[in-house]
Amino acid sequence: MLIFNYVIKDPIGLHARPATLLVNLVKSVNSTVTVEKEGKTADAEKLLALMGLAITQGDEVKVIIEGEDEKEAEKKLQNFFQKNL
């Protein structure tokens, strides 16, 4: 299991467009990815679950990656968060 934290910088937060891109990215890896905010978690393959976390600018999220390609997935996800959020 790999975990990293990220503080959202996007002024709009995790809105529909980047959330959809995130779901598509997660579906392309073999690991299970969970996003956590303030104790609430969401399967990162489920758009509505992610949107339900109501992630806004300044929120710190924890990204948990578990699976056979978790190191590669972590690199892709960190890159995604830095470029899009």
Side-chain angles (χ1 to χ4, degrees):
M1 174 184 347
L2 296 174
I3 298 172
F4 70 89
N5 294 323
Y6 186 80
V7 176
I8 304 298
K9 295 171 181 62
D10 188 300
I12 303 173
L14 182 64
H15 53 95
R17 185 178 42 78
T20 301
L21 294 173
L22 178 58
V23 167
N24 291 334
L25 173 61
V26 170
K27 287 182 177 181
S28 75
V29 300
N30 293 323
S31 295
T32 301
V33 179
T34 305
V35 177
E36 180 180 322
K37 176 194 157 195
E38 298 174 354
K40 292 183 179 180
T41 61
D43 178 344
E45 284 191 358
K46 300 186 185 307
L47 180 61
L48 292 178
L50 281 173
M51 298 297 293
L53 293 176
I55 297 169
T56 59
Q57 183 181 30
D59 287 343
E60 183 174 10
V61 296
K62 181 188 295 186
V63 181
I64 305 156
I65 308 151
E66 295 181 83
E68 60 191 57
D69 65 344
E70 59 190 26
K71 287 185 181 183
E72 293 171 28
E74 180 188 32
K75 287 179 188 174
K76 289 179 182 180
L77 287 162
Q78 284 187 351
N79 186 44
F80 173 85
F81 273 80
Q82 290 170 1
K83 288 186 176 180
N84 296 287
L85 296 169

